[in-house]
């Protein structure tokens, strides 16, 4: 099996055992994975070591902690050689730009997650929230956007407005893998990158027997340098972590070696650990 020179998991979540220090604050989202299969930062490190993963991005688990970023930030700060954190803020909270700047000032935080999942229009297209984009740009932070496919028009609006901000989309926007044309239309925004995570890989494999054709199609539209793999562990916990890693490597296996390097590590390194 091909081995990337640096293997980076661009989408993980951690949940603390100590709920006195880090109490759960669940958002109104489906699922209770954070109580069914919580994974601490220390356990994730052990899982990474066993699976050959060098680095991971700790994405703020809104389902578990809403906008309380303390555990992910503490873990990334303590283990800065292995982790980088992506914080999340309430766009309609008190002084959201100042709150974002405060989190981005932590050494372990490399970016922000704009969590905008909605079946209708979301805050993402509200001009009153554009200050968050401006703050991210001023801080040099990488932006993650979490949206549904039905929100791609909203996403296109902010991508066009903030073309100098590097953006990655969680889970390929939960796109229809059988009809990815709406996703491919977003390739015109050169600042957009895609996280090809386990749920996308699973959906593509279910449709075609393997995720390789779908990944090849994405690489053809966006370029391998704009794709990155993520496990979604421990929200995704229906198989052991090493199996999630193997599934990810397999999904990119039809690409040339240097393109695999980009998707399995290089892209994430460039975005999250520039220089």
């Amino acid at each position: 099996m091909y081995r990337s020179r640096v293997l980076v998991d661009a989408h993980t979540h951690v949940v603390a055992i100590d709920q006195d220090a880090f109490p759960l604050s669940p958002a109104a989202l489906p699922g209770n994975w954070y109580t069914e299969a919580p994974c601490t930062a220390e356990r994730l490190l052990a899982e990474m070591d066993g699976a050959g993963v060098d680095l991971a991005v700790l994405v703020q688990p809104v389902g578990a902690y809403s906008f309380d970023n303390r555990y992910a930030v503490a873990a990334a700060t303590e283990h800065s050689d292995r982790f980088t954190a992506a914080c999340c803020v309430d766009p309609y909270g008190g002084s959201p730009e100042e709150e974002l700047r405060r989190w981005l000032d932590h050494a372990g935080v490399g970016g922000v997650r704009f969590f905008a999942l909605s079946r209708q229009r979301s805050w993402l297209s509200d001009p009153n929230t554009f200050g968050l984009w401006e703050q991210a740009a001023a801080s040099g932070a990488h932006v993650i956007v979490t949206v549904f496919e039905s929100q791609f028009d909203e996403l296109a609006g902010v991508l066009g407005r903030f073309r100098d901000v590097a953006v990655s989309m969680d889970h390929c926007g939960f796109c229809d893998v059988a009809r990815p044309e709406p996703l491919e239309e977003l390739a015109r925004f050169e600042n957009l990158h895609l996280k090809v995570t386990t749920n996308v890989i699973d959906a593509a494999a279910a449709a075609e027997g393997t995720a390789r054709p779908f990944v090849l199609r994405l690489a053809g539209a966006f370029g391998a340098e704009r794709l990155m793999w993520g496990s979604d562990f421990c929200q995704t916990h229906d198989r052991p972590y090493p199996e999630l890693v193997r599934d990810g490597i397999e999904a990119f296996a039809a690409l040339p070696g240097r393109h695999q390097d980009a998707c399995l590590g290089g892209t994430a390194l460039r975005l999250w650990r520039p220089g």
Side-chain angles (χ1 to χ4, degrees):
M1 180 178 290
Y2 181 80
R3 176 64 165 92
S4 175
R5 281 175 286 184
V6 179
L7 188 54
V8 181
D9 190 338
H11 195 101
T12 68
H13 304 295
V14 290
V15 178
I17 289 177
D18 186 352
Q19 293 192 23
D20 291 328
F22 302 103
L24 292 171
S25 179
L29 296 170
N32 59 348
W33 59 270
Y34 44 87
T35 56
E36 290 178 344
C39 178
T40 64
E42 289 72 25
R43 182 188 153 205
L44 179 57
L45 284 172
E47 295 281 2
M48 291 164 58
D49 288 341
V53 175
D54 300 293
L55 303 165
V57 179
L58 305 181
V59 177
Q60 171 63 7
V62 175
Y65 291 115
S66 295
F67 304 109
D68 182 356
N69 301 284
R70 288 179 300 139
Y71 185 58
V73 171
T77 301
E78 182 177 357
H79 303 285
S80 59
D81 58 328
R82 304 291 299 280
F83 292 147
T84 299
C87 66
C88 197
V89 299
D90 182 351
Y92 294 125
S95 304
E97 293 90 353
E98 181 179 339
E99 179 77 354
L100 176 57
R101 182 191 57 77
R102 182 174 71 85
W103 285 113
L104 291 174
D105 280 345
H106 287 78
V109 180
V112 56
R113 185 186 202 191
F114 289 164
F115 194 89
L117 285 180
S118 176
R119 295 299 181 185
Q120 301 174 345
R121 300 293 289 183
S122 77
W123 66 267
L124 200 63
S125 55
D126 182 351
N128 292 320
T129 67
F130 288 171
L132 288 171
W133 289 87
E134 293 163 359
Q135 181 60 63
S139 300
H142 181 61
V143 172
I144 301 170
V145 174
T146 312
V147 294
F148 290 126
E149 181 176 329
S150 59
Q151 298 173 266
F152 283 178
D153 62 330
E154 283 190 278
L155 179 59
V158 288
L159 289 173
R161 186 180 183 91
F162 299 100
R163 290 182 180 271
D164 293 332
V165 178
V167 178
S168 62
M169 190 195 320
D170 277 341
H171 314 298
C172 290
F174 303 94
C175 70
D176 182 349
V177 297
R179 297 176 178 82
E181 290 83 3
L183 178 63
E184 291 171 325
E185 288 178 7
L186 295 175
R188 68 187 189 275
F189 297 104
E190 296 182 357
N191 54 331
L192 179 64
H193 307 74
L194 302 181
K195 283 198 230 172
V196 185
T197 48
T198 298
N199 70 322
V200 180
I201 292 169
D202 286 352
E208 298 196 55
T210 172
R212 291 185 184 189
F214 182 72
V215 168
L216 283 170
R217 182 166 178 173
L218 291 182
F222 285 84
E225 72 281 358
R226 290 164 62 189
L227 306 181
M228 69 196 96
W229 164 73
S231 69
D232 192 40
F233 188 77
C234 60
Q235 180 163 353
T236 296
H237 56 272
D238 61 340
R239 72 209 82 164
Y241 184 71
E243 188 173 338
L244 295 176
V245 176
R246 289 194 296 270
D247 290 345
I249 293 172
E250 159 61 24
F252 294 94
L255 296 173
R258 63 187 179 87
H259 291 170
Q260 291 183 54
D261 278 339
C263 297
L264 296 172
T267 300
L269 280 176
R270 173 170 53 84
L271 294 173
W272 290 99
R273 292 183 177 241

